[in-house]
Amino acid sequence: MEQTLVERKVAAPPGHARTIPGVFFERARALGGRPYLHFWRDGRWQTLSWQETAERAVGVANALVDAGLRPGDHVALMSPNRPEWLYCDFGIVAAGGVTVPIYPSLPARTARYIVRDSAARFAIASDGELADRLRTGDGSAGVFTIDGDVARWTEKAPGPQAWSRVEARMAGVRPGDVATVVYTSGTTGEPKGVMLTHRHFVEIADAALQMFHIGPDDELLSYLPYSHVLERVDGIFIETMAGCTFWLARSLDTLVEDIQSSKPTIMLGVPRVFEKVYEAVNDQAKRQTIVKRAIFRWAMGIGAARLRGRPGPWLRLRVRVAESLVLGPLRRRLTGGRLRFFISGGAPLNEKVEEFFWAIGVKILQGWGLTEATSGATSNTEEVHRYRTVGVPLPGTSIRIAEDGEILVQGPGVMLGYKNNPEGTDEVLVDGWLKTGDMGFVDEDGFLTITDRKKDLIKTSGGKYVAPLPLESELESDRCVKSAVVIGDRRPYVVALIVPDWTAIAADLGTDRAQTEMIDDPGTTARFAALVDRVNQDRASFESIKHFALLPRDFTEADGELTPTLKKKRRVIAEHFESVIEDLYSSSKRP
């Protein structure tokens, strides 16, 4: 029996243009000389105003029109995050084109497949090396570089004729026109091109701004790839509509320093980044003296206690002390001191990590969505929040749970379909409902919980279904585990591949030995055996992990084991570690 759908009506605020360039240029006219983007270049932070960014977008649009771009033509955009990415994107759609973002980490074969499949008329690459990855050999797409061509297009402010020409192009863009084709990274097979219109972006942004209090006084530190729909929609376009200021982080390695420089009020992130922060704080605490460790644990306990119910005078006093000694300084160090909330998306957030941030006084709001739904479909908010859930539907979005537990979505963000793939479109779009491939349930208050990916469900040779995600999440919640993958499809029982955090293991075992010496150490094995036993507690025999193997290295995007958004590719991992897996199922191993 299908679970009752959850629906919240949308009431779009008046006054906004209804296309991507319409929204951007409207805000640029209103905000003019205010900072739009801070970025690091030539050893210092530099700034582009709204007006300057708009001028550069017009420069790109005008040059593309000169090159022969027609309304509806596709333009591939392949670059790491940099200011030019943003105004190239705005310039492409202002000229009536369709942006096709491509991850700069993708190999040439995949990048050229996307260029061909999208029938891109032109391509813009960050530099010559990336430009070569986009050249298909048949001359079907003219390739420009940011370092060369775009720099030349934007070195001077556009004149009145250029503005008039681009404004005429923008006037012909309709809300229902395709604005972008985003190729899903995919964990299996070739990527599929998700067609999203201007209306998708604008209506999702309208809905999000009804849920979140975001405005021109907010500043967002951006570091997730612009090629991914999460950052492009939730981290850039929604805040552009709200009139925010952006800071472009230099890299993940400098994120802590960049936070101190920008002191953001809002940040987006993926769970793995938050997990690393959690692990680093706990590792540092463990290296402190006994007294400091005790104070840290006490303060964290007080921080958690203040979240439960109405605090009395005695608890309020202890909260002030905990804030002064631990929580306040830690919060300022991790967030810059002005942060109002983190938004976490892209994968499930470990509950221990979620509770850690709330305990130190940082709101971390977990949301859920997918490329096919223009990123966000549900989210927790500052006022409406429930641990271990991905929140409630955005206004205008409806959620339905199918009989088999799959989550279905209907609403303003649901895609037109997959480009050049009507069969794939028909598989996931049924009577206006998007089959997401995620499994979950909605509680009595309308909060959605994700339980697993439908295609990741393991069916053992005994016919039992096992959800690997909860097992992996529990394993990865341990500070000594970097990654874990559960295997068992068409096998007699379930096993786990575990990537240890060798630094944490060395600290636990009180040793400075090398990883190669620790991996076969009985103490190491016993440490992880105890962890697996804890994970297996209260689970049925068929879903318990019977054996595990410790891997000497983590899974990487370079080896094809992770997508650009760090999702695990189970099939590839199983192929790369086939001999390890076979040993876990050898005749010498018995459950």
Side-chain angles (χ1 to χ4, degrees):
M1 181 177 176
E2 290 188 344
Q3 192 166 341
T4 304
L5 63 85
V6 179
E7 183 175 5
R8 305 175 73 217
K9 296 294 184 183
V10 64
H16 285 305
R18 311 311 292 172
T19 67
I20 292 172
V23 167
F24 170 68
F25 283 98
E26 179 187 77
R27 300 307 282 157
R29 281 192 295 272
L31 297 171
R34 288 190 60 171
Y36 177 69
L37 177 67
H38 299 280
F39 60 99
W40 184 269
R41 189 162 291 175
D42 299 328
R44 62 186 179 91
W45 289 102
Q46 301 188 36
T47 303
L48 277 177
S49 70
W50 283 83
Q51 177 64 24
E52 289 170 326
T53 308
E55 289 172 351
R56 295 187 184 196
V58 168
V60 171
N62 199 55
L64 289 172
V65 173
D66 280 341
L69 182 77
R70 300 165 304 216
D73 280 346
H74 291 49
V75 181
L77 179 54
M78 188 179 193
S79 168
N81 287 9
R82 54 189 295 180
E84 293 85 351
W85 202 109
L86 296 176
Y87 56 76
C88 280
D89 185 23
F90 288 130
I92 291 165
V93 293
V98 177
T99 303
V100 183
I102 301 178
Y103 288 102
S105 58
L106 290 181
R109 184 192 68 81
T110 307
R112 289 167 187 163
Y113 169 84
I114 292 173
V115 170
R116 291 193 187 98
D117 189 70
S118 66
R121 179 85 182 279
F122 298 107
I124 299 175
S126 185
D127 53 33
E129 190 273 325
L130 291 183
D132 288 341
R133 290 194 219 171
L134 295 173
R135 292 191 172 94
T136 58
D138 57 8
S140 56
V143 183
F144 304 110
T145 65
I146 288 175
D147 289 340
D149 302 287
V150 175
R152 188 176 66 255
W153 298 343
T154 59
E155 62 186 352
K156 294 181 180 178
Q161 185 177 0
W163 275 96
S164 297
R165 193 181 190 195
V166 173
E167 285 169 354
R169 278 294 181 102
M170 282 197 290
V173 179
R174 298 289 178 260
D177 293 344
V178 175
T180 187
V181 180
V182 182
Y183 280 78
T184 58
S185 51
T187 53
T188 58
E190 295 287 6
K192 297 189 288 287
V194 177
M195 295 185 292
L196 301 176
T197 67
H198 294 269
R199 179 180 288 114
H200 285 119
F201 276 68
V202 174
E203 293 191 1
I204 281 293
D206 278 342
L209 291 176
Q210 293 178 61
M211 293 185 78
F212 295 95
H213 309 297
I214 303 174
D217 292 333
D218 280 305
E219 300 192 30
L220 181 139
L221 179 62
S222 169
Y223 67 93
L224 298 176
Y226 293 154
S227 302
H228 189 257
V229 74
L230 174 64
E231 187 70 9
R232 191 163 166 223
V233 175
D234 295 278
I236 297 296
F237 186 71
I238 291 171
E239 287 77 8
T240 294
M241 181 180 277
C244 299
T245 295
F246 300 90
W247 292 74
L248 175 54
R250 289 171 287 173
S251 69
L252 270 177
D253 293 336
T254 62
L255 194 58
V256 173
E257 297 171 30
D258 294 345
I259 286 173
Q260 293 304 317
S261 296
S262 60
K263 294 181 170 50
T265 61
I266 303 169
M267 276 186 68
L268 268 71
V270 292
R272 190 58 191 139
V273 173
F274 299 124
E275 288 163 9
K276 285 181 179 293
V277 172
Y278 168 77
E279 292 161 2
V281 170
N282 280 284
D283 282 345
Q284 187 172 1
K286 285 197 170 187
R287 292 194 294 269
Q288 300 301 314
T289 64
I290 294 175
V291 172
K292 288 186 177 180
R293 287 202 304 270
I295 293 172
F296 175 79
R297 288 195 297 268
W298 173 82
M300 291 301 297
I302 295 299
R306 69 177 164 183
L307 301 174
R308 298 190 291 268
R310 192 176 184 86
W314 177 231
L315 178 57
R316 286 198 294 271
L317 174 61
R318 288 184 292 170
V319 167
R320 285 199 295 272
V321 176
E323 278 284 337
S324 175
L325 293 177
V326 175
L327 303 181
L330 178 59
R331 193 166 56 246
R332 288 189 291 274
R333 181 160 60 88
L334 295 181
T335 71
R338 293 199 306 153
L339 191 82
R340 293 199 292 118
F341 56 82
F342 282 126
I343 295 177
S344 177
L349 179 65
N350 185 279
E351 63 186 76
K352 289 184 179 179
V353 176
E354 183 178 20
E355 291 170 356
F356 163 80
F357 279 101
W358 278 85
I360 67 172
V362 175
K363 296 176 181 177
I364 185 165
L365 309 173
Q366 187 171 190
W368 168 80
L370 60 164
T371 305
E372 289 86 344
T374 318
S375 187
T378 70
S379 186
N380 285 281
T381 70
E382 293 179 86
E383 296 85 10
V384 181
H385 175 266
R386 182 161 294 175
Y387 290 119
R388 294 176 288 281
T389 77
V390 292
V392 298
L394 271 65
T397 295
S398 300
I399 300 293
R400 176 180 291 169
I401 307 300
E403 291 185 2
D404 64 356
E406 184 175 7
I407 303 165
L408 312 180
V409 173
Q410 188 180 70
V414 173
M415 67 173 180
L416 288 184
Y418 294 121
K419 188 173 181 64
N420 304 324
N421 190 348
E423 297 84 3
T425 301
D426 291 342
E427 284 179 14
V428 299
L429 285 180
V430 180
D431 298 328
W433 289 89
L434 173 66
K435 299 170 71 174
T436 67
D438 281 324
M439 310 291 282
F441 64 89
V442 177
D443 67 21
E444 66 277 6
D445 296 318
F447 288 85
L448 177 66
T449 297
I450 308 296
T451 56
D452 220 306
R453 285 289 294 168
K454 188 174 182 178
K455 65 184 179 184
D456 286 343
L457 285 177
I458 292 170
K459 187 177 183 180
T460 67
S461 56
K464 298 288 189 180
Y465 284 96
V466 178
L469 185 60
L471 292 166
E472 292 167 355
S473 181
E474 277 200 58
L475 289 170
E476 291 174 351
S477 69
D478 189 275
R479 59 182 294 276
C480 291
V481 176
K482 279 188 174 180
S483 302
V485 169
V486 171
I487 304 290
D489 201 47
R490 292 172 290 181
R491 301 279 197 167
Y493 49 82
V494 169
V495 300
L497 304 178
I498 298 174
V499 180
D501 183 324
W502 294 108
T503 303
I505 284 292
D508 267 16
L509 298 179
T511 180
D512 57 359
R513 287 183 299 165
Q515 171 186 324
T516 51
E517 297 175 352
M518 286 190 290
I519 195 166
D520 295 320
D521 185 276
T524 305
T525 304
R527 169 69 172 76
F528 287 100
L531 169 62
V532 171
D533 285 343
R534 288 199 302 274
V535 171
N536 285 340
Q537 278 182 352
D538 302 321
R539 297 188 186 276
S541 176
F542 71 86
E543 61 181 349
S544 297
I545 298 168
K546 300 301 189 289
H547 295 296
F548 66 90
L550 303 181
L551 303 183
R553 66 168 181 85
D554 204 351
F555 313 121
T556 68
E557 185 185 347
D559 290 320
E561 296 155 349
L562 300 176
T563 70
T565 52
L566 307 184
K567 292 185 179 75
K568 298 164 193 160
K569 296 184 179 181
R570 294 177 185 278
R571 179 181 57 79
V572 176
I573 290 170
E575 289 174 357
H576 289 185
F577 295 95
E578 182 180 8
S579 62
V580 176
I581 294 169
E582 290 304 321
D583 183 60
L584 293 176
Y585 288 105
S586 67
S587 58
S588 62
K589 302 279 181 124
R590 296 296 179 194

